[in-house]
Amino acid sequence: MKYILPITLALLAVSAYAAEPAAAPTQLEAGLVNPGAIDKPAWFKESFLDLRDDIKEASAANKRLVLYFYQDGCPYCAKLIQDNFGKQSITDKTQKNFDVIAINMWGDRSVTAVDGKETTEKVFATDLKVQYTPTMLFLDETGTVVLRVNGYYAPEKFELALDFVSGKHEKNGSFKEYYSKLKAEGKAVNADKTYTLPNALPAPLRLQDARKDSKRPLLVVFAQQECDTCDELYNDILKRKEVAYSLSNLDLAQANPDDTANIQTPDGKEMTVAEWAKALEIKYSPSLVFFDTAGKEVFRTEAYFKAFHTHGALDYVTSSAYTWMPEFQRYLQHRREALAAHGFPADLME
């Protein structure tokens, strides 16, 4: 399913947690270890944030529009700017094919949506369900989001995302299908490794039947066999003691999004793993998808994360914080401040 910038943008009331912008000075005073704010590249477009005009101007220049959601103190935003846009090939390709507009996830600048309705950056981000930074929305000429990148992609995969959108390959299928085709042709190469999730439910997955008496949430790790970003998750992060404690509060399952084996989904549907992954719009390995006891998806991560954010995602679900604090970033901010107060400053990129 494609995400579409709202034709009628509802100005929903923001929760109390989203009412205040993230306070970088408080984080620094608490002794947190993160890279702080980082300047965006000078070639990013300076916009009045009237998206109607921005789309027209991009189309007139034979480009497409990218909305880049960021926040100060975001280590993955710094990694995007330094590692990805630090590569000349990526910078050249982006400048040639896209107008990039930076939007502060917690900002108060006025944004005019495609339908002409005015809102603020932070409400706009909330309405578009932006949970991570960086989040990048790639728009076509009508304002339809043809690719959504939630979180950080490594340079090689990020460059393939640029190729996918600039080449208008969304007309022929999803980014996952495009990426899989390139892998099959040897144009997208990862380390040839397989991974095992300890204490996971056995294959073939019968996720509703296996969990009929369980009161725990379910975590399904979608990971391809050839997956360089999976190596760190499986062989480092998931093996850490504090992360293992959090995993013990979940039912666990593992699925290869390319697998054609028949399974039963958490809500009782019968299909192949590949069909389920397509229905869930899984486009990144590894993706961590969380389900409640009724088999309904409640949260996911689908980009590169280090231990702090991965551990935070596990606790966000097992504590049910997602039910009363819908902004994951607010949850992480409180977590960082609480840890620092107890004498454990968080290294966000450890």
Side-chain angles (χ1 to χ4, degrees):
M1 182 182 72
K2 294 180 180 177
Y3 295 85
I4 301 176
L5 289 179
I7 300 302
T8 303
L9 184 60
L11 300 182
L12 302 176
V14 186
S15 73
Y17 293 101
E20 299 176 1
T26 300
Q27 296 172 11
L28 294 176
E29 290 168 4
L32 298 174
V33 181
N34 67 48
I38 183 170
D39 292 335
K40 62 182 183 293
W43 51 265
F44 274 24
K45 181 180 180 181
E46 291 296 335
S47 169
F48 292 108
L49 298 184
D50 186 330
L51 300 185
R52 301 167 300 177
D53 292 341
D54 291 321
I55 291 172
K56 290 178 182 177
E57 291 170 7
S59 297
N62 198 29
K63 296 182 178 183
R64 286 181 152 184
L65 190 67
V66 182
L67 305 181
Y68 159 62
F69 290 87
Y70 73 95
Q71 61 180 324
D72 289 342
C74 165
Y76 301 100
C77 299
K79 194 170 179 64
L80 174 72
I81 300 301
Q82 294 168 346
D83 293 1
N84 294 31
F85 290 127
K87 292 175 68 71
Q88 194 62 46
S89 62
I90 291 180
T91 294
D92 292 344
K93 186 172 293 186
T94 306
Q95 286 185 273
K96 177 182 177 181
N97 296 295
F98 301 97
D99 283 341
V100 184
I101 296 175
I103 298 177
N104 187 342
M105 182 180 182
W106 308 114
D108 292 311
R109 290 187 300 167
S110 176
V111 178
T112 303
V114 175
D115 64 346
K117 296 292 181 65
E118 291 190 7
T119 182
T120 63
E121 291 172 288
K122 61 188 177 188
V123 175
F124 188 56
T126 298
D127 288 338
L128 291 176
K129 302 186 186 304
V130 174
Q131 289 278 20
Y132 313 107
T133 53
T135 287
M136 302 189 78
L137 305 186
F138 292 79
L139 279 58
D140 69 7
E141 295 71 20
T142 69
T144 300
V145 180
V146 295
L147 180 63
R148 178 176 183 135
V149 176
N150 293 322
Y152 175 76
Y153 277 16
E156 294 78 11
K157 189 163 189 178
F158 183 75
E159 192 161 4
L160 292 177
L162 296 177
D163 293 340
F164 174 78
V165 180
S166 64
K168 301 184 179 180
H169 294 287
E170 78 277 357
K171 298 177 181 178
N172 302 316
S174 68
F175 177 62
K176 178 182 179 297
E177 293 167 334
Y178 173 78
Y179 182 70
S180 297
K181 182 174 182 293
L182 292 181
K183 283 181 61 180
E185 296 172 352
K187 298 177 182 178
V189 180
N190 290 310
D192 184 8
K193 297 180 180 179
T194 58
Y195 302 96
T196 302
L197 183 63
N199 203 39
L201 296 171
L205 297 176
R206 307 294 300 172
L207 294 176
Q208 186 181 66
D209 293 344
R211 302 179 63 246
K212 61 182 178 180
D213 297 321
S214 177
K215 303 300 181 183
R216 293 181 294 271
L218 169 68
L219 165 61
V220 180
V221 180
F222 286 89
Q224 294 168 306
Q225 289 184 340
E226 297 180 356
C227 171
D228 53 355
T229 50
C230 300
D231 188 62
E232 184 175 356
L233 176 70
Y234 279 89
N235 294 327
D236 176 14
I237 295 173
L238 296 184
K239 290 185 176 181
R240 299 190 186 194
K241 183 177 181 180
E242 62 274 16
V243 174
Y245 276 120
S246 293
L247 287 172
S248 69
N249 294 313
L250 293 152
D251 289 333
L252 303 174
Q254 180 172 281
N256 182 338
D258 299 322
D259 192 354
T260 57
N262 292 312
I263 62 161
Q264 180 192 61
T265 65
D267 57 357
K269 296 177 182 177
E270 302 285 340
M271 60 181 68
T272 68
V273 178
E275 290 170 339
W276 187 35
K278 184 175 182 179
L280 292 173
E281 299 184 359
I282 301 298
K283 54 182 179 290
Y284 185 86
S285 283
S287 286
L288 278 60
V289 186
F290 298 85
F291 300 85
D292 63 16
T293 54
K296 178 183 176 182
E297 181 184 339
V298 295
F299 188 65
R300 69 167 67 182
T301 69
E302 48 187 354
Y304 175 72
F305 285 120
K306 302 290 281 186
F308 178 82
H309 288 76
T310 301
H311 192 190
L314 299 176
D315 289 349
Y316 184 61
V317 174
T318 58
S319 67
S320 297
Y322 68 89
T323 63
W324 49 267
M325 185 180 286
E327 294 84 13
F328 180 53
Q329 294 296 333
R330 292 295 186 196
Y331 175 82
L332 291 179
Q333 178 185 336
H334 171 76
R335 186 182 183 93
R336 292 195 300 265
E337 293 172 350
L339 285 169
H342 286 283
F344 298 103
D347 184 341
L348 304 186
M349 297 302 287
E350 182 184 8

